[in-house]
Amino acid sequence: MKPLKRSARRSLLVAHVAVSVSWLGLTVGLLTLGITAFLTNDPTTAQAATRAMKIFGDWLVVPVALLSLLSGLVLALGTPWGLARHRWVWTKFWLTLLTATLSIFSLRPGINEAATRGAVDIDLVVAPSVATATYLFITAVSVLKPWGLTRRGRRLRRLAGAGKGVDERSTHRTA
């Protein structure tokens, strides 16, 4: 893919961060509603919480998950980070793909079933808990950028030369 121009890259980065933070917030909201529906003894409150979860699931889960995945993929392919050059980008991609798939094909049907019954079982507390922890991990990886280059990234760097600002004996930046 052709590298993105600076203005396009920056705009896409802002959009990606915004939609990814929205996905985290959506999941925290689903977790809060799931805990409320699971722990309450009031059937009216449980039913209201499951209906709210259904609205979030029907209107937000799919577009937010897919926009996060798509914007991250375009950023990876349109910048020097690449998709398979750095372990942190590769890890983020696979975790985002996995959580998007689970959100669309497992979480949404579970929410729909709970809304039909008007009650939540423990699965709709566990799933958003795991998703929230995963999104927080992905966020930390985005900020910290750990683990260095993949095997492909090292090979591409060797083919391109020693690399700007990198000591030939080390993959760590020297300046």
Side-chain angles (χ1 to χ4, degrees):
M1 183 173 164
K2 189 176 179 181
L4 296 169
K5 293 186 180 191
R6 185 173 194 247
S7 60
R9 179 183 49 81
R10 292 177 80 177
S11 298
L12 187 57
L13 180 60
V14 169
H16 177 68
V17 169
V19 77
S20 297
V21 168
S22 298
W23 199 11
L24 176 61
L26 172 62
T27 305
V28 170
L30 288 171
L31 175 60
T32 303
L33 291 168
I35 290 170
T36 301
F38 184 71
L39 294 179
T40 189
N41 292 325
D42 180 16
T44 305
T45 301
Q47 190 173 39
T50 57
R51 280 163 94 191
M53 289 178 80
K54 181 162 174 37
I55 291 169
F56 285 171
D58 287 348
W59 288 91
L60 295 174
V61 169
V62 173
V64 169
L66 293 179
L67 283 172
S68 181
L69 179 64
L70 181 63
S71 61
L73 187 59
V74 172
L75 274 171
L77 295 174
T79 64
W81 290 111
L83 182 61
R85 291 180 184 173
H86 297 268
R87 287 188 183 108
W88 70 272
V89 177
W90 195 233
T91 300
K92 276 186 61 176
F93 169 73
W94 285 107
L95 285 174
T96 303
L97 182 62
L98 176 65
T99 53
T101 302
L102 290 173
S103 293
I104 294 166
F105 295 110
S106 181
L107 179 62
R108 280 193 67 233
I111 290 171
N112 290 336
E113 182 182 318
T116 301
R117 285 181 312 186
V120 167
D121 58 12
I122 194 68
D123 291 345
L124 284 183
V125 174
V126 172
S129 298
V130 171
T132 299
T134 303
Y135 303 148
L136 288 172
F137 175 76
I138 290 171
T139 301
V141 167
S142 297
V143 171
L144 301 175
K145 298 172 180 49
W147 308 314
L149 296 171
T150 61
R151 192 177 313 148
R152 181 177 190 273
R154 287 190 302 271
R155 183 174 43 84
L156 290 173
R157 180 166 283 172
R158 272 194 310 274
L159 292 174
K164 187 176 180 180
V166 176
D167 184 357
E168 292 176 0
R169 296 171 307 232
S170 168
T171 59
H172 301 287
R173 291 203 174 270
T174 58

